Amino acid sequence: MRIGFDAKKAVGNLTGIGNYSRLVINATEKRRPNDTCLLFAPEPKGGLAEGLEGRAAAACRLVLYPRRKGPLRREWWRCRGMVKDLRRLSVDLFHGLSNELPWGLRQSGIRSVVTIHDLIFLRLPHTYGWLSRLILRAKTRHACRIADRIIAVSQRTRQDIVELYHIRESKIDVVYQGCDPAFSRKVSEAELQAVREKYNLHERYLLSVGTIEERKNQLSLVRALPLMKDKECRLLLVGKRTPYQRRIERETRRLGLQGRVSILNDVPTADLPALYQGSSAFLYMSLYEGFGIPVLEALASGVPVIAATGSCLEETGGTSSLYCAPLDCLRIAELADKVLRSPELAREMSERGREHARLFSEENMLKGIEAVYSKAMADKPRK
């Protein structure tokens, strides 16, 4: 079978959906050696993203629309013109890895699967610009309508698709995503020390990983810090910078926490396992998520997790983690103190968390995706 992938995020995005895309592509190529994988994407500005430079990059065929054609023509190609290339290359099944499928795909006769990561732009519209929101609504609605099968990355996302787009449940399969095996590998003491020195880290710190933006709600973590009984533990925020970071920095100064709060931007992926495993606990108070991959990365790393209620994080975090409302700063502080003052509790959460993370293995994810591919290909041919 010839499988095409929408690889825009895979070749040029280093955050959540990019990581998911690379994980699916790499695992599919490895697990299905008799199939041909073709990656369709606009040519990225800085070369291939980390993670597609190994075996999969060599084994998969890359179809890149050149930068010299200009951004509007590249976007047109991805939204509509790509279908011509899919037909030319005799693609049997196309997988849209990031909430969208090209217009005209259904009429081409090519079977299709789309992964829907979240509908946050509908749940929390104020956290998106009006143009981004408009584009996301149109593309995601179209993809859900024309796809032969839909993969939702959590039960919460599946429920959102049914409720907000009125798609029948039988068309949607929940396939939990995995995380990079690097997070499950125990980092050596020498590596931990090297990363501590590189970023000048305190011996004890609470960690939160994710784009520094309003939806991720790092502000509540900063406000919880002075409410803790433990006055020595630091807070480390790791993620892509956005204008919201200025609010975090202003609040840090207002509360006199400059010595206890650190923010790291543009951290290489290779350093993340050591940052996780060197932390005392992982905090994730996002207002809404479709899956919450940093929670899974923390569990795989053996770090106790404290996460927010209200979306899907209880699915990802399981019973080994602690939860509270994302804006309840006092409760966040109480749970952090609870973990810090009880090594026995932290050890139990770590062990149970690692066990829970094994449910989200690459093998289980690929088995789920392969089952979806089989359903899509087994559907009656279109007239």
Side-chain angles (χ1 to χ4, degrees), residues 85-189:
D85 286 327
L86 295 175
R87 296 179 68 177
R88 176 175 59 84
L89 293 166
S90 302
V91 169
D92 299 299
L93 175 74
F94 184 76
H95 187 170
L97 293 165
S98 55
N99 278 44
E100 60 182 292
L101 293 171
W103 268 259
L105 183 63
R106 190 170 184 83
Q107 291 78 6
S108 74
I110 297 168
R111 314 311 296 181
S112 62
V113 172
V114 65
T115 296
I116 303 298
H117 295 269
D118 61 69
L119 299 183
I120 298 170
F121 52 90
L122 297 178
R123 288 296 187 193
L124 298 177
H126 65 282
T127 62
Y128 289 78
W130 70 270
L131 182 58
S132 295
R133 189 167 66 245
L134 187 67
I135 293 171
L136 285 167
R137 288 177 64 180
K139 286 185 174 182
T140 308
R141 184 192 301 113
H142 169 262
C144 288
R145 182 174 59 82
I146 72 162
D148 292 298
R149 301 297 305 178
I150 298 171
I151 292 174
V153 298
S154 67
Q155 293 291 347
R156 176 70 265 172
T157 295
R158 182 186 188 185
Q159 292 164 18
D160 284 349
I161 295 168
V162 172
E163 178 183 341
L164 299 174
Y165 282 141
H166 309 293
I167 303 295
R168 68 181 188 278
E169 287 191 38
S170 60
K171 184 178 175 177
I172 309 168
D173 297 281
V174 175
V175 180
Y176 290 117
Q177 66 186 89
C179 69
D180 193 308
F183 293 98
S184 301
R185 179 184 67 86
K186 186 170 177 58
V187 176
S188 70
E189 188 57 42

Side-chain angles (χ1 to χ4, degrees), residues 88-307:
R88 176 175 59 84
L89 293 166
S90 302
V91 169
D92 299 299
L93 175 74
F94 184 76
H95 187 170
L97 293 165
S98 55
N99 278 44
E100 60 182 292
L101 293 171
W103 268 259
L105 183 63
R106 190 170 184 83
Q107 291 78 6
S108 74
I110 297 168
R111 314 311 296 181
S112 62
V113 172
V114 65
T115 296
I116 303 298
H117 295 269
D118 61 69
L119 299 183
I120 298 170
F121 52 90
L122 297 178
R123 288 296 187 193
L124 298 177
H126 65 282
T127 62
Y128 289 78
W130 70 270
L131 182 58
S132 295
R133 189 167 66 245
L134 187 67
I135 293 171
L136 285 167
R137 288 177 64 180
K139 286 185 174 182
T140 308
R141 184 192 301 113
H142 169 262
C144 288
R145 182 174 59 82
I146 72 162
D148 292 298
R149 301 297 305 178
I150 298 171
I151 292 174
V153 298
S154 67
Q155 293 291 347
R156 176 70 265 172
T157 295
R158 182 186 188 185
Q159 292 164 18
D160 284 349
I161 295 168
V162 172
E163 178 183 341
L164 299 174
Y165 282 141
H166 309 293
I167 303 295
R168 68 181 188 278
E169 287 191 38
S170 60
K171 184 178 175 177
I172 309 168
D173 297 281
V174 175
V175 180
Y176 290 117
Q177 66 186 89
C179 69
D180 193 308
F183 293 98
S184 301
R185 179 184 67 86
K186 186 170 177 58
V187 176
S188 70
E189 188 57 42
E191 291 175 277
L192 286 174
Q193 186 59 36
V195 168
R196 287 193 190 102
E197 293 176 359
K198 179 177 180 178
Y199 297 109
N200 192 29
L201 300 179
H202 190 262
E203 183 180 350
R204 295 167 61 248
Y205 61 91
L206 304 170
L207 176 67
S208 188
V209 176
T211 301
I212 312 297
E213 61 182 348
E214 182 179 0
R215 178 171 60 86
K216 301 295 186 183
N217 188 36
Q218 289 94 343
L219 200 61
S220 286
L221 302 181
V222 173
R223 289 171 174 168
L225 199 60
L227 302 178
M228 291 176 58
K229 293 179 180 178
D230 188 321
K231 302 299 182 184
E232 299 299 322
C233 197
R234 310 289 178 84
L235 174 64
L236 176 63
L237 307 178
V238 177
K240 179 182 176 182
R241 183 187 183 100
T242 74
Y244 178 73
Q245 183 164 321
R246 290 196 293 270
R247 290 182 60 189
I248 301 292
E249 292 165 345
R250 286 196 299 270
E251 190 69 1
T252 298
R253 290 191 296 269
R254 186 185 73 82
L255 294 171
L257 297 172
Q258 296 93 320
R260 294 185 64 191
V261 177
S262 299
I263 303 177
L264 299 179
N265 306 123
D266 303 317
V267 171
T269 302
D271 289 345
L272 287 176
L275 289 174
Y276 276 107
Q277 294 182 35
S279 67
S280 299
F282 181 78
L283 278 61
Y284 202 63
M285 287 296 132
S286 180
L287 300 177
Y288 208 87
E289 290 291 331
F291 180 76
I293 188 67
V295 169
L296 181 57
E297 291 171 348
L299 294 175
S301 299
V303 181
V305 169
I306 301 168

Side-chain angles (χ1 to χ4, degrees), residues 312-332:
C312 67
L313 297 181
E314 292 99 329
E315 289 182 63
T316 311
T319 58
S320 66
S321 302
L322 302 176
Y323 303 94
C324 68
L327 299 177
D328 190 343
C329 298
L330 179 58
R331 186 58 178 158
I332 296 170

